[in-house]
Amino acid sequence: MPRRGHITCTPSASAGQTSASTSSSSSHFHFPSLPLSRRLLNSLFLFSTFSITTGNFLDRHYPLRLFDNLSLAMSEKALTALNTVPRLEESNDSSCKGDLSKQGTETSNGIVEELKNKSSASIRSQVNGENGNPVSEVGSSEVEYIPSENLTDLEDVSSSLKTLLAGLESKDWVLVCEALNNTRRVAIFHREDMLDMLGDVISLLVKSMKNPRSAVCKTALMTSADIFSAYNDKMIESLDPMLVQLLLKSSQDKRFVCEAAEKALVAMTSSFSPELLLPKLEPYLKNRNPRIRAKASMCFCRSVPRLGVEGIRAYGIDKLIQTAASQLSDQLPESREAARILLLELQSVYEKFPDLPTTMPEDPEKGSWEDFCQSKLSPLSAQAVLRVTNVSREGIVSSS
């Protein structure tokens, strides 16, 4: 009698066949009592091995027959296992089913009622203001982005100022957003009351800008714009950490965060004195990140016209031209476009006020824009600047 659970495969010269055998010689291969799926795979693998070793490729239907035999064996074994399962008595079976279904129904109904009661109690506590920690409650998942012109004054300024720093450093992001909006209200309606704690507020504001939650980040960016408009030059010494985050956030992929950061940068360039802001922006014009360079170039371009003629003279028009020329060869088109606009502005100022430079050529006839650029820039940079300004001038003349 062959041992149960063993299959032996004997290679044949004419055709491969599968037989049950008790032989343990080297020409027979036994499978232990493995699961049927594994035995099927082992059989197919051994068939391939025999075929390659003996060169027996004559019977191409052998794999199909082997698969059919093993599938039949699997089906018969499964049917036998089902038939040998002990059956419960009908009376006991029906009574057990009835008891289990009854108990399951009662338990599920009790759980549903308990969940309903908890949910309704939670919602009522939120509506009535009883819950003091709305971190994970239902009504706390939405944050409203309020424009600056729609903000209203605080009812109790003193109590809001006492809890302002605690709210800004809270671990509950909803409370952080509420504290940021209160910071905006204080900056707009009571700017002098927050002046003493402005340094601590800015540090926590920068922390909120780094928050991975977009709602907190955007609210912090909106808060920075209102703080710029309220305090301008009074906070110039605290601008550096904010400026880094604004340039980073304005160059990222999330559109609504990027838009809020760009609005904050516009508020910054319109609030600070250009004499103080331009030195802060210069290091970022050489940043390794091309997107940061592009945003810094745009801010630099917006700030220079606010200098005025005397401001340009004090800052140095030759220095401004050199800065703009270095951006003409930048990687991103935003940087190149900002440099082009700045060069056209400087050319217009130079031609209107020829005595603007601190050092003038000895021959007045050589004091043209072309000669000035060639005297202050390298040959390649001067050629690039003149090409940009001359093409733009020709376009203006032709359009007029």
Side-chain angles (χ1 to χ4, degrees):
M1 291 293 292
R3 286 195 301 170
R4 184 179 179 183
H6 284 67
I7 299 176
T8 62
C9 297
T10 304
S12 176
S14 60
Q17 297 180 355
T18 305
S19 63
S21 175
T22 60
S23 175
S24 61
S25 62
S26 60
S27 61
H28 293 73
F29 296 84
H30 296 270
F31 292 98
S33 297
L34 298 174
L36 289 178
S37 59
R38 293 183 61 184
R39 280 186 280 165
L40 173 60
L41 295 176
N42 289 338
S43 299
L44 294 177
F45 172 76
L46 283 178
F47 164 73
S48 302
T49 305
F50 292 148
S51 299
I52 296 173
T53 305
T54 62
N56 182 15
F57 298 101
L58 299 178
D59 190 358
R60 61 183 180 182
H61 299 291
Y62 173 71
L64 297 179
R65 290 202 305 273
L66 178 61
F67 184 83
D68 293 339
N69 293 334
L70 291 176
S71 300
L72 181 60
M74 293 171 64
S75 301
E76 291 176 355
K77 185 172 182 179
L79 183 60
T80 303
L82 288 176
N83 291 331
T84 57
V85 175
R87 296 183 179 179
L88 297 175
E89 295 295 333
E90 292 183 358
S91 59
N92 294 336
D93 182 61
S94 61
S95 62
C96 290
K97 287 184 178 180
D99 294 338
L100 291 175
S101 61
K102 183 177 180 180
Q103 293 178 1
T105 305
E106 293 177 355
T107 304
S108 61
N109 291 335
I111 294 176
V112 170
E113 291 297 330
E114 184 179 357
L115 291 176
K116 286 183 178 179
N117 293 333
K118 288 184 178 181
S119 178
S120 60
S122 175
I123 295 175
R124 285 196 303 270
S125 64
Q126 285 185 16
V127 173
N128 296 329
E130 300 173 359
N131 191 0
N133 187 18
V135 178
S136 59
E137 298 297 335
V138 178
S140 300
S141 60
E142 295 294 334
V143 174
E144 184 180 3
Y145 304 113
I146 308 174
S148 301
E149 57 272 12
N150 295 339
L151 286 171
T152 57
D153 196 359
L154 294 168
E155 295 181 358
D156 191 350
V157 180
S158 59
S159 62
S160 298
L161 287 174
K162 291 178 181 179
T163 60
L164 189 61
L165 295 179
L168 289 175
E169 59 185 355
S170 174
K171 295 182 179 179
D172 180 1
W173 68 273
V174 179
L175 293 181
V176 174
C177 290
E178 293 178 359
L180 288 171
N181 284 326
N182 288 337
T183 304
R184 299 173 63 196
R185 293 183 175 95
V186 174
I188 293 175
F189 299 102
H190 308 278
R191 66 186 69 181
E192 298 297 332
D193 297 336
M194 197 171 63
L195 192 58
D196 295 336
M197 53 190 300
L198 187 59
D200 297 331
V201 171
I202 291 176
S203 299
L204 295 174
L205 181 60
V206 173
K207 181 180 177 181
S208 297
M209 290 182 187
K210 300 177 182 179
N211 196 298
R213 189 176 289 274
S214 300
V216 177
C217 181
K218 180 174 180 178
T219 308
L221 294 172
M222 298 173 68
T223 305
S224 63
D226 292 329
I227 288 181
F228 290 153
S229 301
Y231 296 101
N232 44 68
D233 291 345
K234 296 178 181 178
M235 56 167 296
I236 189 65
E237 298 300 329
S238 304
L239 179 62
D240 289 331
M242 297 181 67
L243 182 56
V244 175
Q245 293 302 317
L246 290 175
L247 293 174
L248 286 173
K249 299 302 178 182
S250 63
S251 58
Q252 72 171 15
D253 296 332
K254 292 184 179 180
R255 182 176 178 181
F256 68 102
V257 174
C258 181
E259 291 176 351
E262 288 180 350
K263 290 181 180 179
L265 288 175
V266 172
M268 178 190 69
T269 54
S270 59
S271 299
F272 288 95
S273 299
E275 296 86 358
L276 300 176
L277 182 59
L278 290 178
K280 299 285 185 181
L281 291 172
E282 281 184 357
Y284 298 102
L285 297 175
K286 301 177 182 178
N287 193 280
R288 291 182 296 178
N289 190 333
R291 293 187 177 182
I292 290 181
R293 292 199 305 269
K295 299 301 179 180
S297 297
M298 297 171 65
C299 294
F300 197 90
C301 177
R302 287 195 299 264
S303 298
V304 169
R306 299 183 63 243
L307 283 171
V309 176
E310 295 301 325
I312 293 176
R313 185 195 302 274
Y315 197 88
I317 190 173
D318 50 350
K319 184 178 179 180
L320 293 173
I321 291 176
Q322 293 169 1
T323 302
S326 65
Q327 299 298 310
L328 278 179
S329 58
D330 196 81
Q331 178 179 351
L332 293 182
E334 291 87 350
S335 298
R336 300 194 296 270
E337 179 63 18
R340 187 186 69 83
I341 295 174
L342 178 57
L343 287 171
L344 291 175
E345 179 71 23
L346 294 175
Q347 180 189 18
S348 177
V349 172
Y350 180 87
E351 292 177 348
K352 289 181 180 179
F353 303 94
D355 58 342
L356 190 63
T358 55
T359 58
M360 292 291 295
E362 297 179 357
D363 190 354
E365 295 181 357
K366 294 183 179 180
S368 62
W369 169 254
E370 290 79 4
D371 294 334
F372 181 73
C373 292
Q374 292 173 356
S375 64
K376 299 298 181 181
L377 302 172
S378 64
L380 291 178
S381 298
Q383 184 179 1
V385 170
L386 294 176
R387 181 170 61 251
V388 168
T389 53
N390 290 336
V391 168
S392 301
R393 180 188 299 176
E394 291 174 0
I396 295 174
V397 172
S398 61
S399 61
S400 60

